[in-house]
Amino acid sequence: MDIKDFVDNLKRDKARGELAPHQIILLISLHKLYLENKSNVIETIDLMDVFSKTWKEHQYGFETKNCNLGMPLKVFVNRGYLEIDIKEDIKDFRSKTELKSKITEIKINQVLFQLFKNTELSNYLITKISS
């Protein structure tokens, strides 16, 4: 799948009148971890750490201060981009504590693997954080 088509098909909410950056920052974070680990399996705490760092690197480009991984993670799971193995049902995806304690493994699915093959992915995603 083409990067532009994929990003254009994301259903990004508006945060204070601007597109929410959460899903793009999640993609950047997953891509970083995939390149670093060369694995389709991501540890929850690693993803939370990279998401937070990536958020801080780019926070000048958007208004929202809600650095929460939960809802974009849920969207990616619901759309089949990621799979999560859980110990028990997650009641509140906004709770970092609940995510840490209940998710045992996060797996990147084929759709994202196709995107991750593109060497220009990170640069393109950075341009799309707020647009």
Side-chain angles (χ1 to χ4, degrees):
M1 176 179 277
D2 179 64
I3 300 169
K4 183 183 180 321
D5 290 340
F6 184 86
V7 171
D8 288 348
N9 285 319
L10 292 175
K11 293 182 179 169
R12 298 172 61 197
D13 291 337
K14 295 233 176 188
R16 292 174 179 80
E18 296 181 2
L19 286 175
H22 301 77
Q23 290 183 38
I24 301 297
I25 291 176
L26 176 56
L27 274 173
I28 293 168
S29 302
L30 289 165
H31 187 235
K32 284 180 182 180
L33 287 167
Y34 175 73
L35 292 175
E36 184 179 297
N37 300 324
K38 301 294 187 222
S39 173
N40 73 323
V41 177
I42 305 288
E43 297 294 325
T44 307
I45 192 73
D46 292 341
L47 182 57
M48 287 179 161
D49 288 345
V50 172
F51 185 88
S52 180
K53 287 176 187 169
T54 304
W55 185 278
K56 287 176 185 170
E57 288 171 15
H58 300 285
Q59 66 186 358
Y60 62 87
F62 48 84
E63 291 291 321
T64 184
K65 304 298 179 218
N66 177 16
C67 174
N68 194 311
L69 168 69
M71 296 316 290
L73 179 64
K74 183 177 182 178
V75 169
F76 277 29
V77 169
N78 288 344
R79 293 191 100 189
Y81 306 148
L82 299 172
E83 292 178 33
I84 56 173
D85 291 336
I86 55 175
K87 294 178 188 177
E88 58 185 273
D89 286 342
I90 299 169
K91 293 179 182 154
D92 182 8
F93 266 83
R94 289 181 174 95
S95 168
K96 289 180 182 179
T97 304
E98 191 169 3
L99 295 178
K100 284 180 197 175
S101 67
K102 293 183 177 179
I103 296 176
T104 57
E105 196 171 70
I106 300 169
K107 296 176 193 164
I108 300 169
N109 283 342
Q110 192 62 34
V111 173
L112 294 184
F113 280 136
Q114 295 303 316
L115 286 180
F116 292 172
K117 290 179 182 178
N118 188 313
T119 57
E120 295 298 315
L121 179 64
S122 289
N123 293 333
Y124 179 75
L125 290 175
I126 289 168
T127 69
K128 299 306 285 181
I129 287 175
S130 61
S131 63

